């Protein structure tokens, strides 16, 4: 039952951006979500974002059916203290690769809408500045790979 629902969410997210399918798109790969050691409603997600196109792209938002709230954060050291803040936009230059990694840019995933366990896969949809969307698959893991 639970897996069926996740699969359905995944299919919906992949099927939605049906237009402009032949145009060059950035790619989100190697997505994973760190499951907190205790049952906290906040998780961090990471992925590799690549722009293989010859024009720049901008990621302006992220969302997931599996979480009530999803945002893009960046961790920075300010005055010796690690702080997170919401990133308004991620610029991906032509040909650029951006690693969302612990200690840097990450997804902040708040309040899961379905019970999530290690090994589950959820879809996260990134909104581009030009109106297109790109979906990435994120696997729940207990620690870093
Ligand atoms: Cu954060």
């Amino acid at each position: 039952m639970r897996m069926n629902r996740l699969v359905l969410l995944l299919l919906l997210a992949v099927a939605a951006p049906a237009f402009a399918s032949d145009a060059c798109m950035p790619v989100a790969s190697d997505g994973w979500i760190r499951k907190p050691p205790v049952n906290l409603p906040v998780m961090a997600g990471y992925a590799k974002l690549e722009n293989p196109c010859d024009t720049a792209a901008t990621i302006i938002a992220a969302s997931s059916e599996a979480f009530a709230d999803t945002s893009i954060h960046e961790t920075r050291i300010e005055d010796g203290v690690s702080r997170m803040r919401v990133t308004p936009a991620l610029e991906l230059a032509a040909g650029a690769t951006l690693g969302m990694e612990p200690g840097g840019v990450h997804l902040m995933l708040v309040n899961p809408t379905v019970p999530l366990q290690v090994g589950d896969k959820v879809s996260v949809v990134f909104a581009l500045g030009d109106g297109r969307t790109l979906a990435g698959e994120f696997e729940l893991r207990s620690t870093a790979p």
Side-chain angles (χ1 to χ4, degrees):
M1 184 63 171
R2 180 172 54 78
M3 280 310 294
N4 286 345
R5 227 172 128 195
L6 283 176
V7 168
L8 182 62
L9 293 176
L10 192 62
L11 288 175
L12 286 173
V14 170
F19 60 97
S21 58
D22 55 343
C24 186
M25 283 286 289
V27 179
S29 60
D30 298 341
W32 65 285
I33 294 166
R34 177 183 279 167
K35 184 172 170 58
V38 290
N39 211 13
L40 293 174
V42 180
M43 305 183 197
Y46 310 98
K48 185 167 78 172
L49 301 172
E50 289 175 282
N51 180 13
C53 313
D54 54 14
T55 54
T58 308
I59 292 174
I60 56 171
S63 62
S64 175
E65 297 283 347
F67 292 90
D69 186 71
T70 301
S71 54
I72 302 171
H73 275 192
E74 186 167 10
T75 302
R76 280 190 182 161
I77 306 294
E78 289 172 6
D79 301 325
V81 180
S82 173
R83 298 182 195 279
M84 295 193 300
R85 58 175 52 165
V86 173
T87 303
L90 288 179
E91 305 288 343
L92 283 174
T97 298
L98 173 74
M100 303 179 83
E101 294 166 346
V105 177
H106 57 276
L107 289 174
M108 206 83 255
L109 305 154
V110 182
N111 289 334
T113 57
V114 290
L116 293 174
Q117 292 172 6
V118 169
D120 286 351
K121 289 173 179 164
V122 302
S123 177
V124 174
V125 177
F126 295 94
L128 301 180
D130 62 10
R132 294 184 296 165
T133 57
L134 97 108
E137 187 181 73
F138 287 67
E139 181 184 335
L140 212 71
R141 295 181 190 162
S142 56
T143 53

